[in-house]
């Protein structure tokens, strides 16, 4: 049974930074791409960033390019999202997701097989 547990969310002022972590268990972590999505109040869940199984390839939503960095540590079964220069519009629940393939790092959420419970990020102005 795959489990994804996010941590690291919280309240931060605009311009600040947070690092989210997602610890995975239940199957071979290094075989699957990972992604981060977010859902703001009253809005649909949207893609934020993704990383291939090897970690060599990454993909970002335009809204976070240059500010967010996704990375993974396959030895620790953990994926990270470093968020810098945070803006109030980054406020959302952030979800970690595990793909069904090693290489797919696109934004389609149906390509991600397992999801965490989410962690709240609130950016104050």
């Amino acid at each position: 049974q795959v489990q994804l547990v996010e941590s690291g969310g919280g309240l931060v002022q605009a311009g600040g930074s947070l690092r989210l972590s997602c610890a995975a268990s239940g199957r071979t972590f290094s075989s699957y791409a990972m992604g981060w999505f977010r859902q703001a109040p009253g809005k649909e869940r949207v893609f934020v960033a993704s990383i291939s199984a090897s970690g060599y390839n990454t993909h970002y939503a335009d809204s976070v390019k240059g500010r967010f960095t996704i990375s993974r540590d396959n030895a620790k079964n953990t994926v990270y999202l470093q968020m810098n220069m945070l803006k109030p519009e980054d406020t959302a629940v952030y979800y970690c997701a595990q793909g069904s393939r090693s290489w797919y790092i696109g934004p389609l959420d149906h390509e991600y097989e397992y999801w965490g419970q989410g962690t709240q990020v609130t950016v104050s102005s």
Side-chain angles (χ1 to χ4, degrees):
Q1 180 181 357
V2 173
Q3 285 193 316
L4 303 175
V5 180
E6 300 99 335
S7 61
L11 174 64
V12 64
Q13 288 188 331
S17 298
L18 282 175
R19 187 175 83 154
L20 305 184
S21 300
C22 172
S25 62
R27 62 180 184 178
T28 306
F29 180 76
S30 59
S31 296
Y32 300 95
M34 299 294 296
W36 287 96
F37 290 73
R38 68 187 182 186
Q39 187 169 19
K43 296 188 177 181
E44 293 186 352
R45 185 173 61 193
V46 297
F47 171 79
V48 174
S50 57
I51 187 166
S52 62
S54 65
Y56 290 144
N57 296 302
T58 58
H59 181 52
Y60 296 92
D62 287 345
S63 59
V64 306
K65 275 182 185 175
R67 301 188 298 122
F68 291 11
T69 303
I70 189 171
S71 61
R72 64 189 296 159
D73 185 337
N74 286 344
K76 295 183 177 180
N77 292 351
T78 302
V79 62
Y80 304 97
L81 186 67
Q82 178 67 43
M83 305 185 294
N84 298 328
M85 295 182 287
L86 282 160
K87 304 175 181 180
E89 51 263 44
D90 294 317
T91 294
V93 176
Y94 283 71
Y95 296 92
C96 167
Q98 188 173 72
S100 57
R101 314 169 204 258
S102 63
W103 51 267
Y104 181 80
I105 55 171
L108 301 177
D109 58 5
H110 66 260
E111 292 284 351
Y112 294 84
E113 195 169 358
Y114 295 98
W115 295 80
Q117 82 289 350
T119 186
Q120 176 71 46
V121 172
T122 303
V123 184
S124 63
S125 56

